[in-house]
Amino acid sequence: MESPFKSDVLKGKVALLTGGASGIGLEISTQFGKHGASVALMGRRKNVLDSAVNVLRSLGIRAIGLEGDVRKQEDAARVVDSTIKHFGRLDILVNAAAGNFLVEPENLSPNGFRTVMDIDSVGTFTMCHEALKYLKKGGPGKGPSCGGIILNISATLHYTASWYQIHVSAAKAAVDSITRSLALEWGTDYDIRVIGIAPGPISDTAGLSKLLPEEMRSSIEHMPRFKFGEKWDIAMAAVYLASDAGKFVNGTTVVVDGGHWLSRPRYISKEEVKKLSRVVERRSRITPTGVPSSKL
Ligand code: HXC
């Protein structure tokens, strides 16, 4: 779909995106590039990074891939430094890396809970922490009163409570809290805007195939607008927020979900969850979006 924004709204900007080589992260990388930004993609899998960078470069976008795990502080520091070495500045940090699986609390090990907290919440803070010296006003490429932007990809699960998502709900609640705290503290001291985006169910993503596998799609009937969103919807929100059009938006998390969270399906049986969770995990190891390879 064509963008409603001018193609130079992010001209000259450099963005670093965790999870930027797949799913929603890749669409944000693509749209940032199409609107003039250079992009550095961080991820754990070299083959996924390589193929994303190739696609972006074929569109004329300046892109690099940097291997790293947001759970490791040394990886975060190295990736941020490499972005500066390559592009000379950093204007936008997008924290899109996330982990998820369906599981009942009684069958979730503390290590499973910790794993998602480590990726989503601690990983987000670690990346912000390592990027601060480049994002703050007076950093490379910035004037004395012009800082960068942090976009944290969140969710709506924790606005109420969500079945089998205790770990992700806790992790995303922490992300929203990080967004508010940093907006207050770093907005005041360093002129950095910190904003969240909470996507609803988005077609063709790992999140949808994990949380709403095809076997459970009848629940779409509960949605007010009866349809899933597209990765494009999230990327357009990101372009708006990262551009000067969003200059007065700070410390909030923008929900982009078509109103879905207002009427989420309430229950699936524990038996179904047990069957589905591990199946979906196995499937997503074959293809990142969880679509069975036989259907591709
Ligand atoms: C129960 C599980 C489980 C499952 C893993 N664990 N999968 N428990 N049900 N389906 C437990 C393991 O048993 C282990 O605990 C612990 O979690 C760590 O598992 P590992 O496989 O060793 O971890 P790792 O290889 O680091 O993988 C992390 C992961 C994985 C999160 C589990 O799925 C992953 O890497 N995902 C990255 C991509 C991803 O999930 N993207 C989806 C984003 S969707 P024990 O105790 O056994 O050691 C998204 C949407 C947000 O974020 C919300 C939308 C509404």
Side-chain angles (χ1 to χ4, degrees):
M1 226 156 38
E2 209 172 303
S3 165
F5 299 105
K6 285 188 180 161
S7 61
D8 63 353
V9 289
L10 298 177
K11 191 171 167 201
K13 304 285 184 193
V14 173
L16 166 61
L17 302 96
T18 72
S22 61
I24 287 173
L26 177 56
E27 182 65 17
I28 298 175
S29 303
T30 308
Q31 293 298 342
F32 276 10
K34 285 184 172 179
H35 291 83
S38 304
V39 292
L41 320 182
M42 177 180 182
R44 284 183 293 164
R45 295 166 297 173
K46 184 170 182 329
N47 59 329
V48 175
L49 284 171
D50 287 347
S51 98
V53 166
N54 285 339
V55 169
L56 293 176
R57 287 184 181 164
S58 73
L59 296 170
I61 294 167
R62 288 176 302 277
I64 55 168
L66 299 165
E67 261 180 275
D69 186 333
V70 296
R71 288 173 284 189
K72 297 181 184 153
Q73 189 178 355
E74 63 275 19
D75 284 14
R78 175 180 45 76
V79 163
V80 170
D81 288 346
S82 300
T83 305
I84 296 295
K85 270 192 202 115
H86 195 88
F87 291 122
R89 59 189 288 160
L90 177 62
D91 303 284
I92 308 162
L93 169 67
V94 180
N95 289 301
N100 202 345
F101 44 85
L102 284 173
V103 66
E104 317 88 322
E106 56 273 38
N107 285 324
L108 173 63
S109 69
N111 190 44
F113 186 93
R114 187 181 302 115
T115 298
V116 171
M117 292 295 290
D118 276 348
I119 299 171
D120 293 22
S121 321
V122 184
T124 291
F125 178 73
T126 303
M127 292 303 300
C128 294
H129 186 270
E130 296 307 318
L132 172 62
K133 61 177 180 281
Y134 302 119
L135 286 174
K136 66 185 181 185
K137 66 182 175 187
K142 300 188 189 56
S145 64
C146 176
I149 293 155
I150 296 171
L151 288 180
N152 294 327
I153 305 304
S154 186
T156 59
L157 303 167
H158 51 293
Y159 293 175
T160 52
S162 294
W163 295 96
Y164 319 120
Q165 287 284 277
I166 188 171
H167 46 332
V168 183
S169 299
K172 295 300 193 183
V175 168
D176 290 355
S177 185
I178 290 169
T179 297
R180 286 190 292 271
S181 295
L182 291 185
L184 173 70
E185 303 212 29
W186 290 3
T188 305
D189 292 339
Y190 306 119
D191 199 30
I192 294 172
R193 282 194 295 128
V194 189
I195 309 151
I197 299 177
I202 302 297
S203 300
D204 194 27
T205 60
L208 192 68
S209 55
K210 286 188 173 199
L211 299 186
L212 204 57
E214 278 182 29
E215 292 87 336
M216 289 164 53
R217 294 282 162 97
S218 58
S219 59
I220 193 171
E221 288 152 27
H222 297 261
M223 294 172 59
R225 297 183 67 213
F226 271 70
K227 59 183 180 186
F228 297 131
E230 292 167 22
K231 288 178 272 193
W232 184 90
D233 295 309
I234 308 304
M236 286 301 114
V239 170
Y240 158 67
L241 293 168
S243 74
D244 285 345
K247 68 182 171 46
F248 203 51
V249 185
N250 194 19
T252 192
T253 294
V254 177
V255 178
V256 185
D257 81 332
H260 175 67
W261 80 268
L262 300 168
S263 64
R264 249 198 326 257
R266 292 289 178 260
Y267 184 71
I268 52 170
S269 77
K270 281 184 190 290
E271 281 317 305
E272 254 187 295
V273 174
K274 281 202 182 90
K275 253 189 341 219
L276 279 174
S277 183
R278 297 285 179 180
V279 170
V280 169
E281 287 307 309
R282 270 201 302 277
R283 208 188 272 168
S284 68
R285 284 195 181 119
I286 304 169
T287 60
T289 58
V291 178
S293 48
S294 60
K295 294 199 176 174
L296 289 174

